[in-house]
Amino acid sequence: PLERALAPVAVACALPLIRRGFRVTPENAARSLARVEEVFRVVGERLADGREWLVGSTFGAVDLTFASLATPMLLPERFGGTLPRLEEVPATVGATVLRFRELPAGRFALRAYARLRAR
């Protein structure tokens, strides 16, 4: 209960420091989003030939790595950790998540979560 009560205060105090320290600006955010889009495009191209996994015929480290790193862009239901649900994020974030979920790379990562994560 104490942590739950103090968390919003700690976040409010830390957020300006984090933004300044990591140089979070609209321009830098747009540039980072473009980089993520490029990775999703490249992964989608790799999957375009109908392959099930990114490398080889079975699930491997590359598949795990991509699905794991794609998690913040997809908010998969079967993540197994603490993530906000789609309906809990701001509308602009939710729209971005939905857009990434519809990309071939996004569908791939979500399919990996659905097949390989226990409920």
Side-chain angles (χ1 to χ4, degrees), residues 31-108:
R31 192 171 21 261
S32 294
L33 184 59
R35 287 180 186 155
V36 173
E37 289 168 340
E38 176 63 12
V39 170
F40 270 65
R41 184 191 64 73
V42 168
V43 169
E45 286 177 358
R46 179 139 183 101
L47 296 166
D49 64 3
R51 68 182 66 218
E52 186 174 12
W53 305 110
L54 292 171
V55 177
S57 60
T58 61
F59 179 78
V62 173
D63 307 299
L64 175 64
T65 301
F66 177 74
S68 297
L69 294 175
T71 296
M73 302 310 296
L74 301 172
L75 301 179
E77 292 178 16
R78 290 201 178 175
F79 173 62
T82 303
L83 284 176
R85 293 189 325 245
L86 183 61
E87 54 274 359
E88 295 173 333
V89 299
T92 55
V93 174
T96 300
V97 169
L98 290 174
R99 184 168 56 85
F100 275 93
R101 284 180 176 183
E102 290 302 314
L103 296 172
R107 290 193 309 267
F108 165 77

